């Protein structure tokens, strides 16, 4: 066998970090989540000059703001409005509560982001002091209900701009990240690794420009003035099993159910179909391409510095994305959209769904012109003969203004079958529990209900139906 020439074997192979794939795709979700908080911190738009990972994901996400045909080829996805890009269109999966007006009968399958923020906040407040409602029978499906009494607010002309507050801790974290990227770039230049120097500097400029442009917007809340003559805005809000009763004037309820929140950009950002946004997103994409080709050309020390700047920036983005953006939004809104006093939120846990449905019917007191039946059927959609008879008995004595009248004994044809006798008994026991709940609710908050809502006859009519069942 012929000997192998020694000069064709590498004697001192050069070690290289394959960080090209890490350059634009790593940390994209964290970078987007951090950028979505730029409007909630005063001075945050000036603190984005650091070499951040995830530039490609950011460009594809925010590039959908650009309307011009110039950018359609680069960002071919569907064009989005600012409130959609910055996740101000509901909760996860665009989840929003629905609303049913107890006085007006209005039905809204989707309220909006303000309704979502309101329901989540009030539910959290009520969970700390949730009262257990007693039941006469075994619990079947416990359900939590929040009752909120809205206070008065002053409505401006059309909309309100909310200035971002100053948060020193966030600015300090950003300042440290900026200094870390600048230090990595300077050290690369001093070591004469110009590839690493220019790549880190390019990342600083690209992310800083994007943060300055996208962070130039301000939070805007568009309010909806109600009709001059309108009934109370009391209603029922539901979202994935969460049930909330909203009590207040139509003026206050309108803002929660019909108001909207978005990000309003200055004219120079919106010029020519958000041209500035498209340009900064294009710079982020070019940054990825340049990094893919030039990172392998840097020295090992320069690549380590590049990755160190990425690591510090990733930690900063993770810190910003870990902050609850919903709390930031509610803090930014302040008391301009809703005004809820310290003792105006009450939470109750009902042992059975039927008790809850009847109790909420009595608390809301919708008018008996179809709205009461609509609301009750929304909570109790059961349509078997026994349930129809039970609902009929409830509405025979129901009145939105006066006390519950004694109910007549059911006809023999309305008697339940032997198989349904226990079920029917439970229905009327739940009715009695709802009446008992209303007694206690009246005593705790007499201003919300009329003193004559229930009389002794209300208990007697339920007992008669229990005997009949």
């Amino acid at each position: 066998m012929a000997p192998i020439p020694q000069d064709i074997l590498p004697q001192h192979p050069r070690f290289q970090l394959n960080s090209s794939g890490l350059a634009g795709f790593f940390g994209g979700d964290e970078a987007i989540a951090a950028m979505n908080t730029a409007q909630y911190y005063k001075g945050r738009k000036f603190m984005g000059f650091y070499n951040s990972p995830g530039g490609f994901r950011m460009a594809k996400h925010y590039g959908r703001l650009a309307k011009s045909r110039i950018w359609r080829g680069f960002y071919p996805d569907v064009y989005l409005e600012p409130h959609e890009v910055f996740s101000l269109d509901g909760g996860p999966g665009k989840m929003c509560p629905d609303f049913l007006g107890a006085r007006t009968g209005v039905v809204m399958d989707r309220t909006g982001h303000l309704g979502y923020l309101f329901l989540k906040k009030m539910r959290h407040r009520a969970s700390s002091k949730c009262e257990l409602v007693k039941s006469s029978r075994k619990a079947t499906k416990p359900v939590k209900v929040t009752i909120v009494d809205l206070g008065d607010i002053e409505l401006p002309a059309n909309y309100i701009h909310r200035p971002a507050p100053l948060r020193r801790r966030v600015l300090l974290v950003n300042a440290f990240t900026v200094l870390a990227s600048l230090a990595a770039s300077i050290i690369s230049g001093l070591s004469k690794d110009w590839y690493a120097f220019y790549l880190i500097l390019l990342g600083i400029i690209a992310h800083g420009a994007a943060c300055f442009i996208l962070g130039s917007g301000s939070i805007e809340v568009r309010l909806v003035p109600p009709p001059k003559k309108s009934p109370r805005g009391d209603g029922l809000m539901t979202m994935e099993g969460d049930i909330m009763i909203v009590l207040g004037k139509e003026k206050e309820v309108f803002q929660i159910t019909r108001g909207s929140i978005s990000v309003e950009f200055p004219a120079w950002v919106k010029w020519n179909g958000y041209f500035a946004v498209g340009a900064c997103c294009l710079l982020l994409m070019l940054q990825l391409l340049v990094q893919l080709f030039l990172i392998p050309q840097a020295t090992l020390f320069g690549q380590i510095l590049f990755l160190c700047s990425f690591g510090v920036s990733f930690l900063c983005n993770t810190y910003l994305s870990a902050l609850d953006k919903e709390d930031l939004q509610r803090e930014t809104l302040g008391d301009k959209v809703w005004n809820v006093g310290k003792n105006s939120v009450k939470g109750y846990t009902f042992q059975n769904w039927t008790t809850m449905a009847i109790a909420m019917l009595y608390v809301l007191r919708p008018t008996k012109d179809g709205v009461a039946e609509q609301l009750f059927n929304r909570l109790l959609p059961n349509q078997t003969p026994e349930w129809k008879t039970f609902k009929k008995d409830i509405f025979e004595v129901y009145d939105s203004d006066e006390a519950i009248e004694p109910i007549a004994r059911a006809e023999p044809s309305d008697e339940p079958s032997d198989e349904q006798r226990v079920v029917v008994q439970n229905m009327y026991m739940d009715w009695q529990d709802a009446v008992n709940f209303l007694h206690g609710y009246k005593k705790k908050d007499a201003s919300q209900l009329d003193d004559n809502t229930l009389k002794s006859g209300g208990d007697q009519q339920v007992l008669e139906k229990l005997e009949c069942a």
Side-chain angles (χ1 to χ4, degrees), residues 21-60:
L22 190 69
F25 302 100
F26 171 72
D29 294 335
E30 291 79 6
I32 293 174
M35 188 67 73
N36 283 346
T37 64
Q39 293 82 21
Y40 303 104
Y41 306 114
K42 187 176 181 179
R44 168 75 172 84
K45 65 179 181 179
F46 302 106
M47 305 299 293
F49 290 91
Y50 53 85
N51 186 29
S52 174
F56 182 79
R57 286 275 289 112
M58 290 177 58
K60 299 295 288 185

Side-chain angles (χ1 to χ4, degrees), residues 106-152:
V106 61
V107 179
M108 300 181 65
D109 294 331
R110 178 182 172 87
T111 52
H113 194 70
L114 292 177
Y116 171 79
L117 293 176
F118 177 78
L119 188 144
K120 290 288 294 294
K121 178 65 175 180
M122 297 303 115
R123 185 189 63 179
H124 178 72
R125 284 182 56 177
S127 61
S128 59
K129 47 181 179 179
C130 196
E131 179 181 342
L132 182 65
V133 179
K134 295 181 179 180
S135 177
S136 303
R137 64 184 184 92
K138 184 179 179 180
T140 57
K141 187 179 181 181
V143 56
K144 294 182 179 180
V145 176
T146 306
I147 301 179
V148 183
D149 187 9
L150 294 174
D152 190 35

Side-chain angles (χ1 to χ4, degrees), residues 185-197 298-299 301-302:
S185 180
I186 293 173
I187 294 175
S188 298
L190 294 177
S191 62
K192 296 185 178 180
D193 189 344
W194 301 114
Y195 286 108
F197 171 78
T299 63
F301 181 67

Side-chain angles (χ1 to χ4, degrees), residues 257-391:
T257 58
R258 295 171 174 82
S260 62
I261 178 173
S262 182
V263 177
E264 181 66 19
F265 287 99
W268 66 271
V269 177
K270 295 191 293 185
W271 175 78
N272 197 16
Y274 292 93
F275 182 87
V277 175
C280 75
C281 291
L282 180 60
L283 181 61
L284 289 172
M285 296 182 70
L286 292 176
Q287 173 199 357
L288 170 64
L289 296 177
V290 174
Q291 288 174 344
L292 288 175
F293 285 105
L294 298 185
I295 283 180
Q297 306 302 320
T299 63
L300 175 61
F301 181 67
Q303 293 184 50
I304 292 176
L305 289 175
F306 181 85
L307 291 180
C308 287
S309 66
F310 256 24
V312 176
S313 301
F314 174 75
L315 292 177
C316 176
N317 291 338
T318 303
Y319 169 76
L320 294 175
S321 61
L323 300 176
D324 193 337
K325 286 175 282 296
E326 295 176 7
D327 286 340
L328 294 177
Q329 293 162 9
R330 282 185 284 261
E331 183 180 348
T332 303
L333 294 175
D335 58 353
K336 299 298 182 181
V337 179
W338 59 72
N339 179 21
V340 181
K342 187 176 182 180
N343 300 319
S344 299
V345 181
K346 301 179 179 64
Y348 300 94
T349 300
F350 291 86
Q351 305 282 2
N352 301 286
W353 188 275
T354 306
T355 305
M356 179 276 301
I358 302 173
M360 295 307 100
L361 178 70
Y362 289 156
V363 170
L364 283 173
R365 283 294 175 184
T367 56
K368 194 178 179 181
D369 55 359
V371 179
E373 290 86 347
Q374 182 184 20
L375 186 144
F376 198 52
N377 288 328
R378 192 181 187 91
L379 292 173
L380 280 176
N382 312 58
Q383 294 297 325
T384 61
E386 291 78 15
W387 279 102
K388 288 182 179 180
T389 301
F390 176 65
K391 294 179 181 179

